[in-house]
Amino acid sequence: RILRKGTSRGYASVAFSPHNKNHLAALGCAPDYLLSVWDWRNERLLLKCKAYGQEIYSIRWGQFPGILTSVGVGHIRFWKMATTFTGLKLQGDLGKFGASELSDISGFVELPDGKVVTGSEYGKLLLWEGVFVKVELMRAKDNVTQADAGTSIAGCPHAGNIDVILMDRENGMVISGG
């Protein structure tokens, strides 16, 4: 299949929807940084909008239908496909770092409850609830019981950029690397 007019040069990331096997989300590279949603089997562009004004690294579908997350230079954006009185639209809300230091984001994972964990350039894991950083996740000191872990902070989980975050659903753990 050939998907035309989704971007002018190339794609940074593409993802098939787990909810609708015909849907494909694609993030365009510079210069346009467009987010496109396709009915790829019929080569039909369903939705297209500007995703961000700077480099974008990744797009992923959420666990709920019509929900997407994109990340890149200095941002995370939470998207939803919404039906309005004028038709289907992409609505994107930028994540707000609040008191947390602004960071490029490359690694992220959605938790079973819909919250998102992202990496950062400075070695902290950020837990997002809605569009806000709810908490910065830190590493406990070695040889500390789980009951005492919250009061015995050793520092950041990583010494630098966190590029990969995975969810081990079987054991209920988040795995990060960078």
Side-chain angles (χ1 to χ4, degrees):
R1 305 277 182 222
I2 299 173
L3 307 177
R4 301 181 201 291
K5 299 183 181 176
T7 190
S8 60
R9 291 218 175 135
Y11 292 100
S13 180
V14 296
F16 288 96
S17 171
H19 310 287
N20 183 331
K21 300 303 179 192
N22 292 336
H23 287 178
L24 173 83
L27 277 176
C29 297
D32 50 19
Y33 305 112
L34 294 174
L35 170 58
S36 308
V37 177
W38 297 86
D39 172 348
W40 70 272
R41 289 179 200 240
N42 296 309
E43 299 179 14
R44 191 169 67 105
L45 182 61
L46 301 174
L47 298 165
K48 182 168 77 170
C49 70
K50 182 86 165 175
Y52 200 64
Q54 295 180 355
E55 193 171 351
I56 303 169
Y57 304 140
S58 184
I59 185 77
R60 288 195 203 138
W61 292 90
Q63 62 185 339
F64 303 109
I67 302 295
L68 298 123
T69 304
S70 63
V71 295
V73 171
H75 82 284
I76 183 169
R77 192 165 226 165
F78 303 96
W79 298 91
K80 74 179 136 179
M81 295 170 55
T83 303
T84 68
F85 67 93
T86 59
L88 193 61
K89 303 278 187 219
L90 275 170
Q91 297 174 337
D93 293 319
L94 274 176
K96 304 199 184 334
F97 285 85
S100 297
E101 185 180 342
L102 183 70
S103 176
D104 296 352
I105 296 174
S106 55
F108 71 101
V109 68
E110 185 178 359
L111 300 177
D113 64 359
K115 293 181 181 86
V116 173
V117 176
T118 67
S120 66
E121 294 174 272
Y122 45 85
K124 290 182 182 173
L125 291 167
L126 308 176
L127 177 67
W128 296 81
E129 185 171 29
V131 297
F132 298 101
V133 173
K134 182 174 176 103
V135 68
E136 294 178 343
L137 303 172
M138 304 296 283
R139 184 173 51 85
K141 292 179 183 171
D142 293 335
N143 302 321
V144 174
T145 66
Q146 190 164 351
D148 295 330
T151 59
S152 61
I153 297 171
C156 293
H158 293 268
N161 196 31
I162 302 170
D163 296 314
V164 177
I165 302 178
L166 304 169
M167 178 77 191
D168 177 352
R169 294 189 189 278
E170 187 175 310
N171 295 304
M173 298 174 60
V174 172
I175 301 159
S176 61

